[in-house]
Amino acid sequence: MNKILKTLLIWLPSLIITLFFIPNALDKILNSNQTDKIVANSTIMIATGIFLLISTALFLYNRTTLIGTTLLALYMTFIVFIHMYKGKPYEVTILIVMATIFASYIRKPEIFLPDKKIKKD
């Protein structure tokens, strides 16, 4: 029972992050003609949605967690700068960047500390 609970708690932050990125990606793909965005080109919106879906899949797959985390964090950092430029609130987007990195660290701390031995139960 402890092992199941531990696995659930390790994966919970990643699942919550996924619940943000997947609907965001699907919205960009299905509603690509949004005019209130900084880029009004529907092709770019669809490509961004596909990028988010691929990055989220890489984030969830254990062997590519670091690549997915990097792509998602860079994307959200770019969104932070866009929000700052447009004068929109950007604090939540900064928290999403931090939560993405934190969720990755919870699942695989050894990719952030490669020189140290991490005790696994």
Side-chain angles (χ1 to χ4, degrees):
M1 184 66 177
N2 280 344
K3 188 171 183 170
I4 294 170
L5 185 61
K6 181 180 176 184
T7 303
L8 179 67
L9 290 176
I10 285 174
W11 276 91
L12 189 62
S14 295
L15 295 176
I16 292 170
I17 292 297
T18 302
L19 289 176
F20 169 77
F21 282 115
I22 289 181
N24 189 351
L26 293 176
D27 183 50
K28 289 185 184 334
I29 292 170
L30 300 175
N31 299 324
S32 61
N33 54 356
Q34 300 173 10
T35 57
D36 62 335
K37 302 295 182 186
I38 197 162
V39 176
N41 188 343
S42 64
T43 306
I44 293 175
M45 293 299 283
I46 291 171
T48 303
I50 292 169
F51 169 80
L52 281 174
L53 286 176
I54 292 170
S55 298
T56 304
L58 291 171
F59 171 73
L60 291 174
Y61 185 59
N62 271 338
R63 291 188 179 189
T64 58
T65 300
L66 184 60
I67 296 168
T69 302
T70 303
L71 293 175
L72 291 174
L74 286 175
Y75 169 77
M76 286 308 294
T77 302
F78 181 66
I79 298 302
V80 168
F81 290 130
I82 289 174
H83 280 217
M84 292 170 90
Y85 173 75
K86 291 183 96 177
K88 291 183 175 181
Y90 55 88
E91 292 82 4
V92 173
T93 53
I94 291 174
L95 289 175
I96 293 170
V97 173
M98 292 170 39
T100 303
I101 296 168
F102 176 73
S104 179
Y105 176 76
I106 293 291
R107 279 184 26 227
K108 292 191 77 166
E110 62 271 7
I111 62 176
F112 293 92
L113 305 167
D115 295 340
K116 299 189 182 210
K117 299 283 183 185
I118 297 183
K119 181 182 172 193
K120 292 209 173 197
D121 292 327

